[in-house]
Amino acid sequence: SFPSWGSGDPLAWLEAALVAAASAGLLLVAARHLWALRWSLSRDRASALPLPRGSMGWPFFGETLHWLIQGSHFHSSRRQRYGAVFKTHLLGKPVVRVSGAENVRKILLGEHRLVSAQWPLSTQILLGSHTLLNAHAEAHRHRRKVSGAGGTDGSAHPSCPAGVAVYASAKALTFRIAARILLGLRLEEEQFEELSGAFEQLVENLFSLPLNVPFSGLRKGIKARDLLHTYMEKAILEKLQRKDPDAHRDALDFIINSQRTREQGRETTMEEKEPNINIMAKVSQDMVHGTTNGPSSLSRLEETGQFFSSLERSEYCCHPYLTLEKLDRLRYLDCVIKEVLRLLPPVSGGYRTALQTFELDGYQIPKGWSVMYSIRDTHETASIYQSPPDTFDPERFWVSPEDQEEHKTSASLRFHYIPFGGGVRNCIGKELAKAILKMLAIELVSTASWELATAHFPKMQTVPIVHPVDDLQLYFHSLKAGHESSGGTGKVNA
């Protein structure tokens, strides 16, 4: 029995406290075991395969708090403990985390058959059920076609940017290009800051807890989304009221006109898509270089060609203008961009839900469970590259001209490198994202050399998209005419 309030015996109170603590501990242990048992019993009895190894965490919360606190270390530590396929419980749902080329291949190619896109509730709320991201089956196929994404190999020119973010100035430039290409927006500085701030707020809260209460991440995301919708609705209204409705100035023009064409009972032809593709290319070049008629910074690659082989320098430095076709032929630069995206993919993975129970790596994935495939873990564990996966080595992607065709069709490489996903849901903006990164790299190597202004490279945050935790501070040394390579130095927070 517990001592009365008037008792002055400290030993009695200590004993009571220990009994209470032990009882609470036993209750927590029992609750955790019952929680784990609850999910063990949810396995599909029709399948003889076991559930993946892993922990379901604590009742109701699962391992969500661990995930939020540990970030990318959460997944890497559990992958090392449980393997390439493991179970956990995040954001209110049982989740199977998947990495490795063969496992990811089965997920990505099983879209609409084994799995279907199922993003966290906060993402669904903020982006809406009618977006391409949350569309399913026929609705998804139709919206990709309308957006101009083309086939599942992603070879057609995209109509929207990927989730790529090159910090500060580069990120701002990327957003301006996207606003022009997608919506045709020409923004004043104040409007741009308001719109880009709202976009960042939306992205930051895509994976927030689904609690719509004051000061919550979801509430902030909803406010940002509503502001973005205001700009989009204004752009749509202006286009619908325009006198020349068939003109293609941006992706939104193309989508509106494609819908009109579909309502007339026919599909948009490639000839009709071509103006939209051309305007995207022109806008991208205009906004990076100011104009497509001026001299290209390719003429400077003779001095700063560390990204290019001597063959490529001699072949391309004489070209006076930068075009997307010439970008495609800068093969070593392509290797550099690929290696950057391999080490720091724009997003860490994708979410699916199991449409039926299926086998993966010797385990059963029960119907209704969430499946998250990991891009970053797959890149980090790929064993097909000659150099270690944790080193920066663009040479791993170098292929001699005579082996180029065989390399393009090589199935062994296909799912070891997936910075933009794969299958029918590969990112429709990946070609635009890569083009912007290439132009940025060319601008940097042809106008400046740079070095870190800090002793160590900044720590990277991977959720919701990859970005530095603190400012990325650099010293830039101008290479422009009239400056010494060590002169014109300025410290920039990038």
Side-chain angles (χ1 to χ4, degrees):
S1 63
F2 289 95
S4 64
W5 286 106
S7 172
D9 185 354
L11 291 178
W13 275 107
L14 179 60
E15 182 181 351
L18 291 174
V19 170
S23 300
L26 287 173
L27 284 174
L28 286 174
V29 170
R32 181 159 181 158
H33 278 289
L34 289 172
W35 177 251
L37 179 62
R38 177 254 186 274
W39 292 111
S40 294
L41 294 176
S42 70
R43 65 182 298 277
D44 189 341
R45 302 297 180 88
S47 171
L49 295 172
L51 289 171
R53 296 192 302 151
S55 170
M56 303 305 281
W58 295 96
F60 306 110
F61 296 102
E63 292 193 299
T64 300
L65 294 179
H66 296 80
W67 175 57
L68 293 174
I69 294 171
Q70 296 178 10
S72 59
H73 179 68
F74 171 85
H75 298 296
S76 60
S77 63
R78 280 152 181 77
R79 184 190 75 228
Q80 293 171 6
R81 189 185 310 170
Y82 301 120
V85 178
F86 65 87
K87 69 176 184 289
T88 182
H89 194 279
L90 300 174
L91 298 175
K93 284 194 170 187
V95 177
V96 175
R97 172 89 171 188
V98 177
S99 61
E102 287 305 313
N103 297 327
V104 171
R105 178 181 183 276
K106 189 166 186 176
I107 298 298
L108 294 178
L109 297 186
E111 185 70 32
H112 307 320
R113 178 175 53 86
L114 296 179
V115 298
S116 182
Q118 186 68 51
W119 291 84
L121 183 58
S122 57
T123 309
Q124 297 178 49
I125 293 171
L126 291 176
L127 297 184
S129 60
H130 299 294
T131 58
L132 181 63
L133 191 73
N134 290 317
H136 299 103
E138 187 56 39
H140 176 259
R141 283 188 283 268
H142 166 61
R143 287 169 192 165
R144 278 188 71 96
K145 183 178 289 187
V146 167
S147 69
T152 60
D153 63 350
S155 57
H157 203 287
S159 64
C160 80
V164 153
V166 186
Y167 228 57
S169 299
K171 182 173 64 174
L173 176 61
T174 302
F175 187 83
R176 281 187 184 274
I177 293 174
R180 278 281 298 276
I181 289 177
L182 293 177
L183 303 177
L185 296 178
R186 290 169 173 79
L187 303 173
E188 300 293 335
E189 193 61 35
E190 186 176 324
Q191 293 175 310
F192 167 73
E193 290 180 2
E194 180 184 43
L195 191 60
S196 62
F199 181 75
E200 285 196 47
Q201 189 75 265
L202 176 70
V203 172
E204 285 175 5
N205 293 289
L206 281 176
F207 302 110
S208 58
L209 292 175
L211 300 174
N212 188 7
V213 296
F215 308 110
S216 68
L218 183 62
R219 178 68 63 86
K220 293 176 184 177
I222 290 173
K223 183 178 179 180
R225 179 201 63 190
D226 291 344
L227 179 59
L228 290 167
H229 280 179
T230 300
Y231 278 90
M232 293 174 66
E233 288 165 1
K234 182 180 178 181
I236 292 171
L237 184 61
E238 289 176 354
K239 293 176 187 303
L240 292 175
Q241 293 176 343
R242 207 167 51 212
K243 292 182 179 180
D244 52 342
D246 294 328
H248 291 267
R249 294 183 177 88
D250 48 68
L252 184 56
D253 279 325
F254 176 75
I255 291 173
I256 290 173
N257 294 337
S258 294
Q259 186 60 32
R260 286 172 174 159
T261 300
R262 190 176 179 85
E263 289 170 357
Q264 295 169 3
R266 66 184 183 88
E267 295 292 338
T268 307
T269 64
M270 278 307 299
E271 288 73 17
E272 291 170 311
K273 289 183 180 182
E274 192 66 29
N276 195 52
I277 294 173
N278 290 337
I279 200 69
M280 290 177 191
K282 184 178 186 302
V283 168
S284 297
Q285 292 171 187
D286 284 353
M287 296 193 74
V288 172
H289 297 286
T291 173
T292 53
N293 296 322
S296 166
S297 54
L298 280 175
S299 61
R300 304 285 299 177
L301 290 179
E302 190 76 32
E303 344 172 358
T304 55
Q306 59 263 47
F307 283 171
F308 305 93
S309 67
S310 57
L311 174 64
E312 287 178 310
R313 286 203 302 274
S314 63
E315 184 176 352
Y316 295 112
C317 287
C318 59
H319 286 291
Y321 307 115
L322 177 65
T323 66
L324 293 180
E325 289 74 22
K326 289 167 187 171
L327 278 180
D328 286 339
R329 296 202 296 271
L330 293 172
R331 293 176 48 240
Y332 195 77
L333 175 58
D334 188 53
C335 293
V336 172
I337 299 303
K338 283 183 176 179
E339 181 68 345
V340 169
L341 293 172
R342 186 192 68 83
L343 281 173
L344 294 171
V347 295
S348 58
Y351 293 85
R352 301 290 187 269
T353 188
L355 297 176
Q356 57 178 295
T357 299
F358 62 94
E359 181 270 338
L360 195 66
D361 202 21
Y363 299 105
Q364 66 160 277
I365 311 299
K367 178 180 179 180
W369 279 39
S370 294
V371 180
M372 183 182 181
Y373 71 89
S374 173
I375 294 173
R376 183 166 294 101
D377 287 1
T378 298
H379 287 179
E380 289 178 355
T381 58
S383 59
I384 64 166
Y385 303 117
Q386 293 183 351
S387 53
D390 60 345
T391 61
F392 183 83
D393 181 16
E395 299 285 340
R396 74 175 80 245
F397 290 106
W398 180 259
V399 181
S400 62
E402 54 269 22
D403 295 333
Q404 195 80 330
E405 278 308 311
E406 181 182 348
H407 179 80
K408 285 181 180 178
T409 58
S410 174
S412 64
L413 297 174
R414 187 173 176 188
F415 291 95
H416 289 276
Y417 178 75
I418 48 171
F420 299 107
V424 298
R425 286 189 179 271
N426 70 78
C427 177
I428 65 173
K430 65 179 184 179
E431 298 304 326
L432 176 59
K434 289 188 288 187
I436 292 173
L437 286 175
K438 287 180 181 180
M439 288 188 283
L440 173 65
I442 290 171
E443 285 295 300
L444 287 176
V445 300
S446 61
T447 58
S449 63
W450 64 93
E451 59 182 317
L452 279 176
T454 54
H456 303 285
F457 192 80
K459 183 179 179 182
M460 303 300 291
Q461 176 69 38
T462 59
V463 178
I465 57 176
V466 63
H467 63 279
V469 174
D470 300 313
D471 286 337
L472 175 59
Q473 298 183 350
L474 302 173
Y475 286 116
F476 281 94
H477 310 280
S478 175
L479 294 177
K480 288 187 177 297
H483 291 80
E484 297 294 330
S485 62
S486 61
T489 300
K491 183 177 178 181
V492 177
N493 291 335

